[in-house]
Amino acid sequence: MIIQYTILFINEIWSLTVMMAPYLLLGMLFSGIISMFIDKGIVLKHIGAKNFKSIFKSTVFGVPLPLCSCGVIPVAATLKESGASKGATIAFLVSTPQTGFDSIFLTYGMLGPVFAIYRPFAALISGLLSGLFINKYDDDDHHHSTKNGNSEIENLDFLDRIKNGLMYGFYTLPKDIVVPLLQGILVAGIISILIPPEFVADIFSSKSNFMYLMMLVVSLPLYVCATASIPIGLALMSKGLSAGAVFVFLMAGPATNAASINIVKNILGKKTMYYYLALISLTAIIFGFILDSFTSI
């Protein structure tokens, strides 16, 4: 029995790693580009201030990007280190994983135009609200430093910028986040064994006043990207769940998982991590309720 569960655990860890790897690599590539081709002064100018404009720019930049909750972490860490305000960083973290160009088209094909329009709209609004809340109420001065040599980019030629950018994106940054990432993957592997995605579709097959909360509890620790969550959402609806309850899963599932939560704590602090989870949870339930209110009319 122990050997069987050990093999199952190893297989789950490997499966999670394979699923996360392309998005992490994409996030690291974006981070390398940002660190070497976007000067800190530009980041400070556009998303460094603690105001609505910087949060709006960060959110609009993040919504169409095809990054999952893990792939978005290295990009957010680079933006924060380059001078982005904590509110703008959180707005990017909240809005980006929920959707992307690829998931919007697939959402339209599998769940219809209402979901395809409502999903990026909810990502935009939740990112804005979360960023504004953090800038107003989070005074934690937690500082996470990653040296990227950004201040020296004006002295480098094109090839050296590429070399240094790749070095930062695929060596310096991964080295800095690897410990919390591995810890999170181990926790996610345990959770995935205890609560696999199929469990959601098989067990939560009836409507309930507590369905939003139940879906939220299941969604938060699971790893599922915005695109992969769509067929699960379709299966949930076929089992009888309301559109709003399914939307809670589509919104909260891609925005969080055990690995990303652990890294958010590392780069932004424990207090901000709690705010991050609370804001995602609250906005997911609110948007789920609104969707059910309109679709039931």
Side-chain angles (χ1 to χ4, degrees):
M1 182 65 71
I2 296 177
I3 296 177
Q4 181 180 357
Y5 274 103
T6 301
I7 294 175
L8 184 62
F9 177 72
I10 293 173
N11 288 336
E12 192 62 40
I13 292 296
W14 175 251
S15 177
L16 284 169
T17 303
V18 170
M19 288 172 61
M20 291 165 59
Y23 301 98
L24 277 171
L25 291 173
L26 184 60
M28 292 172 189
L29 178 61
F30 272 110
S31 297
I33 293 173
I34 290 171
S35 70
M36 296 312 302
F37 292 97
I38 300 181
D39 187 84
K40 285 187 177 182
I42 297 176
V43 176
L44 283 170
K45 177 182 177 181
H46 289 282
I47 59 175
K50 296 179 67 173
N51 57 30
F52 176 79
K53 184 181 292 186
S54 67
I55 293 171
F56 179 78
K57 289 179 180 179
S58 180
T59 306
V60 170
F61 172 64
V63 167
L65 291 181
L67 295 175
C68 71
S69 56
C70 285
V72 73
I73 290 293
V75 181
T78 304
L79 290 174
K80 181 66 172 64
E81 181 61 26
S82 296
S85 68
K86 185 175 285 189
T89 305
I90 284 293
F92 183 80
L93 280 169
V94 169
S95 62
T96 305
Q98 295 182 42
T99 186
F101 281 131
D102 55 337
S103 66
I104 290 173
F105 287 116
L106 186 59
T107 300
Y108 178 85
M110 297 187 72
L111 297 176
V114 174
F115 272 93
I117 296 172
Y118 193 66
R119 201 176 183 188
F121 171 77
L124 175 67
I125 300 302
S126 62
L128 292 175
L129 293 177
S130 298
L132 290 171
F133 180 91
I134 291 296
N135 274 353
K136 185 172 180 61
Y137 295 105
D138 187 358
D139 296 325
D140 186 2
D141 60 353
H142 177 88
H143 180 70
H144 173 79
S145 178
T146 302
K147 296 180 180 179
N148 59 12
N150 185 271
S151 60
E152 301 176 357
I153 64 172
E154 65 274 9
N155 300 321
L156 301 176
D157 59 28
F158 183 74
L159 291 180
D160 284 335
R161 289 189 182 194
I162 293 178
K163 178 181 177 180
N164 285 9
L166 292 176
M167 178 65 69
Y168 170 73
F170 293 98
Y171 176 73
T172 306
L173 183 62
K175 184 176 64 174
D176 201 51
I177 66 174
V178 66
V179 173
L181 177 62
L182 290 177
Q183 291 172 342
I185 290 175
L186 291 176
V187 174
I190 295 172
I191 292 172
S192 296
I193 292 176
L194 298 177
I195 312 176
E198 294 80 8
F199 172 87
V200 179
D202 293 339
I203 302 300
F204 296 155
S205 58
S206 61
K207 296 182 180 179
S208 167
N209 293 330
F210 299 101
M211 188 56 61
Y212 300 133
L213 183 59
M214 293 169 65
M215 290 301 302
L216 183 66
V217 170
V218 171
S219 301
L220 286 178
L222 290 179
Y223 176 78
V224 57
C225 69
T227 301
S229 66
I230 297 170
I232 299 176
L234 184 63
L236 291 171
M237 291 188 69
S238 70
K239 294 288 185 175
L241 266 72
S242 68
V246 170
F247 192 80
V248 172
F249 175 79
L250 292 176
M251 189 170 177
T256 64
N257 65 68
S260 65
I261 292 170
N262 202 35
I263 300 177
V264 167
K265 181 180 72 173
N266 187 53
I267 66 174
L268 294 174
K270 184 181 293 186
K271 179 180 178 181
T272 306
M273 179 198 71
Y274 289 136
Y275 279 145
Y276 169 72
L277 290 174
L279 289 165
I280 289 175
S281 301
L282 181 61
T283 53
I285 291 177
I286 289 174
F287 278 105
F289 177 79
I290 292 173
L291 183 61
D292 270 344
S293 298
F294 279 100
T295 55
S296 61
I297 295 177

